[in-house]
Amino acid sequence: MSILKELRNIINPELILIDEELKNHTYTKLGGKADFFVTPSTVEEVQEIIRYANKTEVPFTLLGNGSNVIVRDGGIRGIVLSLKKFTGIKREGNKVIAESGARIIDASRFALKEHLTGLEFACGIPGTVGGALYMNAGAYGGEVKDCLESALVVDSTGDVHRLSADAFDLAYRTSNIAEKGYIVLEATFSLEIGDYHEVKAVMDDLTYKRESKQPLEYPSCGSVFKRPPGYFAGKLIQDSELQGKGVGGAEVSTKHAGFIVNKNNATATDYISVIEMVQREVKEKFGVDLEREVRILGED
Ligand SMILES: Cc1cc2nc3c(=O)[nH]c(=O)nc-3n(C[C@H](O)[C@H](O)[C@H](O)COP(=O)(O)OP(=O)(O)OC[C@H]3O[C@@H](n4cnc5c(N)ncnc54)[C@H](O)[C@@H]3O)c2cc1C
């Protein structure tokens, strides 16, 4: 049976988009098409899709908010799964429980509204809760690892498990989620009672810092590189005099050297060429290997 027919047996056909432009689902506004862009609305549908993909070996890719990925110009074959319909956020005691497709920014704002402290660092990170766990996202001294208590995941056979935070090997911008093949369905953050005005003041300060230092007026995927031990990626790039240099429509931001912006209808090939140029020049000038934080998906 064709992939489309099988998918239509699992979820409402309206939730399956064919040849969907992924530039509409990525922060860099780059990338080709997904053969099937699927947005299930129940956990059972997610489980069935995974079981089907495993049984038939149809390629399968999970996308969150697309804020830390570059999709190549040839797009992504097979099924691209989005959990954007899973957006619930609730409080239980001093915990915030957020579904994986909710924005971590919204979880942070929810915590503020509930007078809870611990998620302030996430107030400007444009990813989903699932993507934030996958990346162990963090900013300004905080990261997911500091407050994650547990998460609900689907494994590669389609079974659901609740795992405690230490099961994910969270470390600087990394986890074992890809290796284990987990799909995060929900995360539980353990927070503390805070003072609304103090929590808000921290969030306002972080928002001000972000807006004044980052080129948020252009599409990008945030900081492209991880912080190399003993250095700052942005400073190395700045000192290599690469700001404003680019390929096609993509260039190293003049406002924040750690960002590469899609300034003028760049292709993914342009963007990836700029990444490689930066890695080459920094290695040549300072002997430092810049490791990508951003993930590259799909084919040329
Ligand atoms: C302007 C800007 C500023 C940023 N600032 C920061 C920052 O301060 N700190 C920071 O850490 N990051 C930052 N980022 C990067 C990005 O927002 C984070 O890495 C975020 O956690 C990615 O989440 P996402 O939902 O967009 O994931 P995506 O980019 O869609 O995916 C990233 C990876 O997560 C996987 N994934 C997504 N959802 C799930 C799920 N439910 N289960 C399992 N795996 C999943 C995907 O398969 C993919 O491999 C920034 C990005 C931008 C564009």
Side-chain angles (χ1 to χ4, degrees):
M1 212 191 297
S2 76
I3 300 176
L4 185 58
K5 265 195 179 158
E6 291 277 6
L7 286 174
R8 282 180 169 159
N9 283 337
I10 300 173
I11 67 169
N12 181 340
E14 285 174 12
L15 303 178
I16 308 166
L17 301 176
I18 302 165
D19 283 339
E20 176 66 2
E21 291 280 5
L22 289 169
K23 62 176 63 148
N24 298 332
H25 301 276
T26 56
Y27 264 71
T28 48
K29 304 277 173 243
L30 300 172
K33 294 174 181 176
D35 291 343
F36 302 99
F37 187 86
V38 183
T39 51
S41 56
T42 67
V43 172
E44 291 71 28
E45 288 171 351
V46 176
Q47 292 175 287
E48 282 306 303
I49 292 167
I50 292 167
R51 288 184 179 133
Y52 162 68
N54 273 347
K55 194 175 70 193
T56 54
E57 295 186 8
V58 171
F60 169 84
T61 306
L62 188 62
L63 201 61
N65 242 355
S67 64
N68 205 41
V69 292
I70 296 162
V71 175
R72 288 195 173 94
D73 297 314
I76 302 182
R77 302 289 70 79
I79 301 169
V80 173
L81 186 75
S82 161
L83 299 182
K84 67 179 181 185
K85 293 203 181 297
F86 294 76
T87 56
I89 304 177
K90 63 181 178 186
R91 175 179 183 167
E92 270 179 23
N94 291 343
K95 296 171 191 169
V96 166
I97 302 171
E99 290 182 342
S100 59
R103 298 186 317 154
I104 189 118
I105 290 178
D106 290 335
S108 174
R109 287 182 188 153
F110 178 86
L112 165 68
K113 194 168 65 70
E114 295 290 324
H115 300 211
L116 292 170
T117 177
L119 266 177
E120 294 88 321
F121 74 89
C123 70
I125 300 177
T128 59
V129 166
L133 206 165
Y134 179 103
M135 295 300 305
N136 185 27
Y140 303 109
E143 57 182 5
V144 166
K145 185 176 190 265
D146 299 337
C147 57
L148 184 76
E149 181 183 280
S150 65
L152 202 63
V153 302
V154 186
D155 69 18
S156 53
T157 65
D159 292 339
V160 175
H161 308 269
R162 175 162 301 282
L163 301 175
S164 63
D166 54 13
F168 297 105
D169 289 348
L170 298 176
Y172 174 61
R173 300 301 166 265
T174 181
S175 71
N176 63 10
I177 290 178
E179 182 195 317
K180 299 276 187 188
Y182 294 143
I183 292 183
V184 178
L185 292 175
E186 179 190 283
T188 298
F189 299 103
S190 178
L191 307 177
E192 285 173 19
I193 303 277
D195 175 82
Y196 177 88
H197 298 285
E198 281 175 20
V199 173
K200 184 164 186 311
V202 172
M203 288 168 66
D204 288 346
D205 180 47
L206 297 186
T207 303
Y208 171 76
K209 285 190 174 128
R210 202 174 271 278
E211 287 175 353
S212 56
K213 293 198 176 124
Q214 298 184 355
L216 302 179
E217 62 279 25
Y218 291 114
S220 81
C221 51
S223 295
V224 175
F225 304 102
K226 293 188 182 184
R227 198 177 51 235
Y231 299 91
F232 289 102
K235 177 88 170 79
L236 291 170
I237 298 166
Q238 195 178 343
D239 293 348
S240 302
E241 294 174 6
L242 289 169
Q243 285 182 278
K245 295 205 173 142
V247 177
E251 70 173 45
V252 178
S253 165
T254 48
K255 191 167 176 186
H256 186 313
F259 280 52
I260 295 172
V261 291
N262 175 358
K263 204 165 174 191
N264 188 15
N265 295 318
T267 62
T269 309
D270 294 341
Y271 203 94
I272 293 166
S273 302
V274 179
I275 294 178
E276 289 168 352
M277 173 188 80
V278 169
Q279 286 174 316
R280 216 174 29 245
E281 297 269 331
V282 167
K283 175 77 177 169
E284 235 167 61
K285 269 220 156 86
F286 298 103
V288 178
D289 288 306
L290 288 181
E291 187 192 340
R292 259 193 292 111
E293 176 178 319
V294 62
R295 299 202 59 222
I296 299 180
L297 306 175
E299 44 191 55
D300 285 325

